[in-house]
Amino acid sequence: MILLKNDLLTVSILDPLEDRDKLGSRYCAGGYIWQVEDVKLGPLLSGPFFPVPATGFDGQGAPEVFETALGSDAARVGDEICVLGVGKVLRESPVKPFHVRDNPRVLQFADWNVETHPTEVVLRTSQTFRDQAVHILRRVRLKGRQLESRTEVMNTGERTVPLRWFAHPFFPPVETLCRFSLECSLPSNPAFSLDEDGFVRRNPNYDWDKGFFQPVQLSFGYPLRVEQKHPKLGTLEVVCDFPVASLPIWGNARTFSFEPYYHTLLEPGATASWSIFYRF
């Protein structure tokens, strides 16, 4: 485990080589934020089964996902493909289109170069699949009570890469959950609602052991700020400095998560970069 520390917070980040028992096909292995602990209040992040030890599939903390998989457009069952930030993955499910949720077997993890400092870690990897190739830089930096998770992807191959990424932070569940800075609405559903102040709320009568996934209808294409309620902190803030392409929310009895997506087409030689900030 890689630790970033100051006198306020300790951040645990998975080592992409030493912590492979906690990794899988789903989440980016470089810069995976496993937990953030307040020196006085303890752990601040949750997970689908937290505090039970998490699996590589379910995870915890504040992982990030590249849904882009090089070669997935032509792969058949039994073929290998290249999931960005993860490595070579076996396509073993006939479900279309391909998604890592349905194909959990990692054949070969990507190699990451890791540079650590007391309050910052920088991780780099290069991945190639046929005529497509990318270089990924991940930087996680702690400054005071702010944690920045930054991603840069350069297309070093010969073909355009359709880049699709999202953050998946897990927070402890509370009845009043969060408020988004962009105008939004929720379709009628049994689990979540919006109150008169614009906060997303959990229905206390819903069976949360089953979990519930709900896309939010949002003014997409703009940066986003989120006020997230927290049982220990009262409120924390999350800032997405990228144009949000979509935003589902999900929760179960142990956790709640909003999932801001970033989409772009990355031409050969081009670089895309973006950050998500957590202010605890």
Side-chain angles (χ1 to χ4, degrees), residues 53-65:
T55 68
F57 178 82
D58 295 298
Q60 68 169 56
E64 299 177 11
V65 180

Side-chain angles (χ1 to χ4, degrees), residues 41 76 129 136 196 203 244:
L41 302 176
R76 299 180 179 179
F129 191 84
I136 301 173
E196 60 183 11
N203 178 355
V244 173

Side-chain angles (χ1 to χ4, degrees), residues 46-55 57-60 250 252 254-255:
S46 185
F49 294 99
F50 189 81
V52 175
T55 68
F57 178 82
D58 295 298
Q60 68 169 56
W250 178 84
N252 69 4
R254 295 177 181 266
T255 195

Side-chain angles (χ1 to χ4, degrees), residues 40-107:
K40 295 181 180 179
L41 302 176
L44 301 178
L45 299 178
S46 185
F49 294 99
F50 189 81
V52 175
T55 68
F57 178 82
D58 295 298
Q60 68 169 56
E64 299 177 11
V65 180
F66 283 103
E67 290 196 325
T68 302
L70 306 182
S72 63
D73 55 338
R76 299 180 179 179
V77 173
D79 291 345
E80 69 175 38
I81 60 173
C82 182
V83 177
L84 297 194
V86 175
K88 301 293 178 62
V89 171
L90 178 67
R91 178 160 198 174
E92 51 190 335
S93 169
V95 174
K96 297 180 180 181
F98 170 89
H99 197 283
V100 290
R101 285 192 302 266
D102 308 308
N103 300 271
R105 190 183 307 180
V106 180
L107 300 174

Side-chain angles (χ1 to χ4, degrees), residues 178-255:
C178 64
R179 179 165 60 184
F180 303 117
S181 62
L182 299 176
E183 186 176 22
C184 67
S185 63
L186 282 176
S188 178
N189 70 89
F192 298 108
S193 63
L194 283 176
D195 69 16
E196 60 183 11
D197 295 319
F199 279 94
V200 178
R201 296 177 61 89
R202 288 163 68 99
N203 178 355
N205 298 318
Y206 179 74
D207 181 3
W208 285 104
D209 286 333
K210 297 190 303 184
F212 198 84
F213 178 89
Q214 177 61 59
V216 176
Q217 295 173 337
L218 193 74
S219 299
F220 300 123
Y222 301 92
L224 174 69
R225 187 180 70 257
V226 185
E227 298 174 67
Q228 174 67 46
K229 296 294 186 180
H230 194 280
K232 295 180 180 179
L233 297 171
T235 303
L236 61 89
E237 184 179 55
V238 181
V239 176
C240 305
D241 78 346
F242 49 89
V244 173
S246 57
L247 183 72
I249 57 178
W250 178 84
N252 69 4
R254 295 177 181 266
T255 195

Side-chain angles (χ1 to χ4, degrees), residues 96-166:
K96 297 180 180 181
F98 170 89
H99 197 283
V100 290
R101 285 192 302 266
D102 308 308
N103 300 271
R105 190 183 307 180
V106 180
L107 300 174
Q108 181 181 0
F109 281 100
D111 293 322
W112 291 85
N113 174 269
V114 181
E115 178 184 330
T116 59
H117 305 277
T119 58
E120 181 180 52
V121 60
V122 181
L123 307 97
R124 298 177 175 87
T125 191
S126 295
Q127 295 176 264
T128 301
F129 191 84
R130 297 173 186 161
D131 58 351
Q132 291 182 293
V134 297
H135 179 77
I136 301 173
L137 181 148
R138 292 276 297 114
R139 185 189 305 270
V140 183
R141 178 166 48 191
L142 177 63
K143 184 177 181 181
R145 302 195 69 90
Q146 175 175 284
L147 184 65
E148 178 188 5
S149 179
R150 183 165 183 79
T151 303
E152 297 180 13
V153 182
M154 173 181 284
N155 184 347
T156 57
E158 301 173 6
R159 288 176 51 198
T160 299
V161 173
L163 196 62
R164 180 177 168 92
W165 166 100
F166 69 95

